[in-house]
Amino acid sequence: MPAPKKLFVKTYGCQMNVYDSERMTEALGVSGYQETKVVEDADLILLNTCHIREKAGEKMYHELGRLRALKKSRPTLKIGVAGCVAQAEGAEIIRRMPIVDMVVGPQSYHHLPELARRAELGAKIVDTEFPLEDKFDHLPRGPKSKSAPSAFLTIQEGCDKFCSFCVVPYTRGSEVSRPPVNIVREARQLIERGAVEITLLGQNVNAYHGAGGLTLSQLIRQLAQIDGLERIRYTTSHPKDMDDDLIAAHAEIAKLMPSLHLPVQSGSDRVLKAMNRQHGAESYLRTIEKLRAARPDIALSSDFIVGFPGEEEADFQATLDLCREVGYAMAYSFVYSARPGTPAAGKVEIPAEICSDRLHRLQSLLSAQQLQFQQAMVGRVLPILIEKPGRESGQMVGKTPWLHTAHFNASETTKGSIRTAKIIRSDKNTLAAELLQ
């Protein structure tokens, strides 16, 4: 019996890419590939790329440059580039880096076993089409190891919003939702493998529209009926699609965790219009009011872009004002960087020193809010989902309902169990806890 071929996957970017990498690994397992964590042992290397953040393509090319020597020493090694950078740059990747054997877009992962076979025979492959068939229905099912206590499950892909700064509609295509029966089936499989918490993923997850017009809130209600599933989350949401029924679900479904990532990007209506966000600051704040009325203890997080072309100091001050009014538990903030092919890419950019100053002021405010939210947890008794061993001997790490990471001493605690703990200290990015008997 031939020795199994070895597969090394490096994942960049978002949670959806983490999910995609798991599915690609599973699909290639059917073709005889076994995952390895040692890149030098691999027969096939896959870089699963992300195009959202700055210099994504540059990072990929740097990584390929580092792999050049390994390819030279092992000519039979095959290298593939997958994900959103693959979709955006296509054949240009192979032209610039001939060591690459295949380029695969996010909608073509179900072709990987066949593409890998052709690459083994010496073909150079670019597959960045948007096929009519649902890749999830055609991904081969291979043996999969035990799931972690927290698992991802993609339910929706693509975007129809066309924000002027964003490449997602061009790299992931239009909004497509998976059939609810397939989602429920996969959720049950994840639970059978050990998952206790499932995070539902989508570029615009709350735009989910399943068969028969099923909405995200209705899907969550279905999933909440599954025995063994204790916690449900979803990300990332768009403010325009945060309807009243979904807001009500936060009050009515105990398994739906009290945390929500709801990107606003700016507090200025003028900037939001230039971004084509399709919502204003006031409508966003009204949504927040409804959410807090439904679930007063909800933890809110967001995304912010600083220095979008045309942003003036008054616009930036409106963003600071919005942050003060909302009071975020956590947020991501970045300086605007142009993405080729997007409507905003040709606009005059704001000087780097102004952007840097604004980002520093925003992050100082957001960091103070995060610290305040964490410190409010000290002294509380909370249910902790045990996920993995900690850095210290005899230490375990888990997750609170509000997505805080908590660490505590408990050498014999079972992963996947939910234990009651008292929070005794707030560290920089984690909570220290003490398990209660």
Side-chain angles (χ1 to χ4, degrees):
M1 185 174 179
K5 295 168 287 189
K6 298 295 182 67
L7 168 69
F8 177 88
V9 180
K10 182 167 184 176
T11 306
Y12 300 80
C14 65
Q15 295 158 320
M16 188 171 286
N17 268 16
V18 174
Y19 173 87
D20 283 347
S21 291
E22 291 174 353
R23 296 302 304 275
M24 287 190 287
T25 300
E26 186 179 356
L28 286 165
V30 176
S31 300
Y33 280 93
Q34 188 177 86
E35 188 176 14
T36 178
K37 300 299 182 184
V38 181
V39 66
E40 290 80 7
D41 292 344
D43 298 291
L44 171 60
I45 297 172
L46 272 180
L47 305 182
N48 190 10
T49 60
C50 177
H51 211 335
I52 297 297
R53 301 301 175 215
E54 187 176 7
K55 300 180 181 177
E58 185 178 315
K59 291 176 182 176
M60 176 199 68
Y61 285 116
H62 284 167
E63 183 68 25
L64 290 171
R66 286 190 286 268
L67 293 174
R68 190 183 282 117
L70 184 60
K71 177 86 168 183
K72 185 176 181 180
S73 67
R74 295 179 50 210
T76 59
L77 169 67
K78 301 303 175 184
I79 298 175
V81 175
C84 291
V85 176
Q87 185 70 41
E89 303 208 9
E92 175 67 8
I93 294 172
I94 294 179
R95 189 194 70 78
R96 286 185 58 180
M97 282 290 181
I99 65 167
V100 174
D101 299 284
M102 59 181 180
V103 176
V104 188
Q107 304 307 323
S108 299
Y109 294 156
H110 55 303
H111 297 158
L112 267 175
E114 172 61 19
L115 300 182
R117 186 190 68 79
R118 288 169 54 196
E120 289 169 7
L121 296 175
K124 293 281 188 178
I125 301 155
V126 177
D127 189 343
T128 55
E129 298 299 319
F130 287 94
L132 294 176
E133 72 269 22
D134 183 351
K135 71 177 181 184
F136 296 103
D137 289 342
H138 291 80
L139 275 167
R141 281 285 182 182
K144 188 172 181 180
S145 60
K146 186 176 177 65
S147 294
S150 296
F152 296 131
L153 200 172
T154 293
I155 67 168
Q156 180 270 345
E157 280 196 292
C159 181
D160 295 341
K161 300 297 188 291
F162 287 91
C163 296
S164 63
F165 55 83
C166 185
V167 297
V168 167
Y170 312 102
T171 59
R172 290 275 182 171
S174 58
E175 291 177 357
V176 177
S177 298
R178 296 179 64 189
V181 63
N182 295 358
I183 295 168
V184 172
R185 180 172 63 245
E186 187 171 340
R188 292 186 185 278
Q189 292 170 345
L190 290 169
I191 294 162
E192 288 170 3
R193 293 166 176 160
V196 177
E197 173 182 279
I198 290 178
T199 300
L200 308 176
L201 301 179
Q203 266 86 32
N204 278 318
V205 69
N206 57 341
Y208 176 83
H209 47 278
L214 194 81
T215 63
L216 176 59
S217 59
Q218 292 167 332
L219 175 65
I220 291 172
R221 292 176 196 277
Q222 285 190 19
L223 294 172
Q225 302 304 312
I226 300 176
D227 290 339
L229 178 57
E230 302 297 333
R231 293 181 170 187
I232 301 171
R233 303 181 189 274
Y234 61 92
T235 195
T236 290
S237 298
H238 193 285
K240 183 180 178 182
D241 297 316
M242 203 72 208
D243 60 37
D244 289 343
D245 192 48
L246 183 55
I247 291 172
H250 281 274
E252 298 165 1
I253 303 174
K255 291 183 179 181
L256 182 57
M257 292 295 95
S259 62
L260 175 65
H261 188 64
L262 194 61
V264 64
Q265 305 299 356
S266 173
S268 162
D269 284 343
R270 195 176 69 84
V271 173
L272 289 171
K273 184 177 181 180
M275 290 178 168
N276 192 34
R277 285 292 290 168
Q278 303 177 40
H279 67 82
E282 281 302 317
S283 65
Y284 181 87
L285 290 171
R286 285 197 299 271
T287 298
I288 299 300
E289 289 176 2
K290 291 180 181 179
L291 282 162
R292 287 201 162 128
R295 187 72 196 253
D297 63 343
I298 196 166
L300 296 165
S301 58
S302 192
D303 293 340
F304 292 92
I305 293 175
V306 170
F308 188 79
E311 180 189 72
E312 298 178 355
E313 179 63 24
D315 300 309
F316 177 68
Q317 287 296 329
T319 296
L320 295 179
D321 290 342
L322 183 141
C323 290
R324 294 186 185 103
E325 185 161 350
V326 173
Y328 289 103
M330 195 272 289
Y332 301 99
S333 53
F334 305 92
V335 169
Y336 168 78
S337 60
R339 295 293 177 269
T342 59
K347 296 184 177 181
V348 177
E349 296 188 20
I350 294 172
E353 61 272 17
I354 294 177
C355 293
S356 178
D357 174 68
R358 289 177 184 172
L359 182 66
H360 174 73
R361 285 187 280 159
L362 175 61
Q363 290 184 339
S364 294
L365 172 59
L366 294 172
S367 295
Q369 290 183 342
Q370 178 178 342
L371 179 62
Q372 182 180 10
F373 189 83
Q374 282 189 192
Q375 288 177 335
M377 295 290 157
V378 176
R380 296 187 61 178
V381 175
L382 306 176
I384 309 292
L385 171 59
I386 313 303
E387 292 187 304
K388 60 185 178 181
R391 295 180 180 178
E392 307 293 335
S393 176
Q395 187 184 73
M396 296 293 289
V397 173
K399 189 186 299 177
T400 75
W402 294 273
L403 266 181
H404 292 113
T405 296
H407 58 87
F408 44 85
N409 294 325
S411 57
E412 298 181 2
T413 300
T414 305
K415 286 198 302 181
S417 63
I418 296 178
R419 297 286 302 275
T420 302
K422 183 176 182 179
I423 306 303
I424 59 175
R425 187 178 69 252
S426 172
D427 297 329
K428 183 176 181 181
N429 292 308
T430 63
L431 298 173
E434 188 177 76
L435 285 188
L436 302 180
Q437 296 300 321

